[in-house]
């Protein structure tokens, strides 16, 4: 009796020696293996590509060192900042923020719809590839081009900028939404399909709940980008503070330019801290 009890205790104390399936063992070993040969062979190839890029882009360290003097001179002209038009700056910043909010809501909504069609675990093949192709086309066109197009269509003002941000969001954030939904755990989805859940139920209760934290995080990132994007779109007359920024640069009004830049930095910093707080709440 004592021998049997000691044997049982020994078996419990010792780790399980159950052999793994050979395919599973090979998969686990590959996860910790480093492809040294391919990695070492890739280093000189990457170095050659980098040197080729430096040469083709005319990157010159000597010119960079020489230009630092001009850069320091330009920065010295920005001080002291001139806040005599602070009311105008605040008004335009509020317009920029409003553009970003509307553009984010519209862009995120349309991007989510397109993402359903561009997620391989949701959409059929005949819908998946056209949706991906549309997003690739939209993503390849700069937002400034969209802004110029909408300015010529609806005229100058923030409405053109909102339309440009909305359309541009589909190409960028729509792809990220689709990839977030493709990366969900397949287990709950398979279980729901096994008990006869419809496609709508699988998406609503199996995919979206898992992808929701990433979707919210990416939406906040889109909002931050739209705030900065609205500033740039104003350069072509699509509303926001960008036009005032361009005017200050053309008039060499460096004090006013510095005040605008500082106010934009404050706005972006506040939005970034608020977004970080929301991310911490949902993760």
């Amino acid at each position: 009796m004592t021998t049997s009890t000691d044997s049982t205790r020994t078996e419990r104390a010792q780790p399980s020696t159950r052999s793994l399936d050979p395919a599973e063992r090979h998969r686990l070993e590959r996860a910790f293996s480093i492809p040294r040969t391919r990695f070492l062979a890739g280093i000189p190839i990457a170095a050659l590509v980098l040197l080729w890029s430096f040469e083709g882009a005319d990157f010159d360290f000597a010119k960079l060192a020489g230009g630092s003097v001009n850069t320091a001179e330009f920065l010295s002209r920005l001080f002291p900042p001139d806040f005599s038009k602070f009311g105008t700056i605040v008004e335009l910043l509020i317009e920029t923020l409003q553009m970003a909010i509307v553009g984010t809501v519209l862009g995120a909504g349309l991007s989510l719809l397109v993402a359903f069609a561009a997620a391989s675990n949701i959409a059929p093949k005949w819908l998946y590839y056209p949706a991906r192709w549309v997003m690739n086309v939209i993503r390849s066109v700069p937002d400034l081009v969209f802004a110029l197009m909408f300015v010529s269509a609806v005229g100058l003002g923030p409405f053109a900028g909102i339309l440009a941000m909305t359309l541009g969001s589909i190409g960028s954030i729509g792809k990220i939404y689709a990839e977030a939904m493709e990366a969900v755990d397949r287990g709950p989805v398979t279980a729901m399909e096994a008990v006869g859940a419809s496609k709508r139920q699988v998406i609503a209760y199996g995919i979206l709940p898992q992808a929701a934290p990433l979707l919210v995080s990416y939406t906040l990132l889109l909002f931050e980008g739209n705030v900065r994007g609205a500033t740039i779109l104003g350069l072509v007359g699509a509303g926001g503070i960008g036009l005032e920024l361009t005017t200050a640069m053309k008039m060499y009004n460096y004090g006013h330019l510095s005040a605008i830049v500082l106010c934009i930095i404050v706005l972006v910093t506040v939005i970034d801290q608020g977004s970080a707080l929301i991310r911490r709440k949902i993760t």
Side-chain angles (χ1 to χ4, degrees):
M1 183 69 179
T2 304
T3 306
S4 177
T5 304
D6 293 342
S7 177
T8 303
R9 290 176 180 176
T10 303
E11 290 177 357
R12 290 178 179 177
Q14 291 178 349
S16 175
T17 58
R18 179 174 57 89
S19 60
L20 291 174
D21 181 71
E24 182 68 12
R25 180 184 294 275
H26 179 67
R27 185 186 68 84
L28 293 174
E29 290 176 350
R30 287 187 59 189
F32 294 96
S33 65
I34 301 176
R36 296 181 179 179
T37 304
R38 286 180 292 175
F39 177 75
L40 294 176
I43 291 178
I45 296 176
L48 289 175
V49 171
L50 183 61
L51 291 174
W52 172 74
S53 300
F54 272 120
E55 182 68 22
D58 293 332
F59 189 89
D60 190 347
F61 285 101
K63 187 181 294 185
L64 177 63
S68 60
V69 177
N70 296 330
T71 303
E73 182 182 354
F74 175 80
L75 293 176
S76 65
R77 296 176 185 175
L78 297 177
F79 295 94
D82 180 13
F83 289 97
S84 60
K85 298 181 180 180
F86 183 71
T88 302
I89 296 175
V90 171
E91 181 180 352
L92 292 174
L93 279 178
I94 292 175
E95 181 180 273
T96 301
L97 182 61
Q98 292 169 335
M99 290 173 57
I101 292 173
V102 177
T104 299
V105 172
L106 296 178
L110 293 176
S111 297
L112 187 60
L113 292 177
V114 176
F116 287 139
S120 59
N121 58 340
I122 297 177
K125 297 297 183 182
W126 62 266
L127 184 59
Y128 170 79
Y129 289 107
R132 285 281 179 168
W133 181 81
V134 169
M135 288 195 301
N136 289 338
V137 171
I138 295 176
R139 192 166 55 251
S140 64
V141 179
D143 287 349
L144 281 176
V145 176
F146 288 135
L148 288 171
M149 179 181 69
F150 286 118
V151 163
S152 64
V154 301
L156 299 172
F159 184 47
I162 292 172
L163 294 177
M165 282 189 293
T166 301
L167 184 58
S169 299
I170 297 175
S172 57
I173 208 71
K175 179 177 183 293
I176 299 177
Y177 281 174
E179 292 178 350
M181 288 187 282
E182 289 177 342
V184 300
D185 185 6
R186 185 66 187 170
V189 176
T190 303
M192 293 184 67
E193 292 174 345
V195 297
S198 65
K199 195 69 173 180
R200 181 190 62 82
Q201 291 172 326
V202 170
I203 295 173
Y205 303 108
I207 295 178
L208 284 181
Q210 296 188 70
L214 283 176
L215 297 180
V216 174
S217 180
Y218 292 143
T219 302
L220 293 173
L221 181 63
L222 173 65
F223 176 60
E224 296 173 19
N226 280 342
V227 172
R228 293 185 291 270
T231 302
I232 302 300
L233 295 179
L235 300 176
V236 294
I241 202 171
L243 182 60
E244 187 73 13
L245 185 70
T246 305
T247 303
M249 293 180 65
K250 291 181 179 179
M251 299 297 294
Y252 301 103
N253 191 353
Y254 293 106
H256 184 43
L257 174 63
S258 176
I260 293 173
V261 172
L262 290 176
C263 289
I264 293 174
I265 292 174
V266 171
L267 176 63
V268 172
T269 302
V270 170
I271 293 173
D272 178 69
Q273 293 301 313
S275 299
L277 179 62
I278 295 175
R279 288 191 185 96
R280 284 196 296 270
K281 294 293 183 180
I282 64 176
T283 57

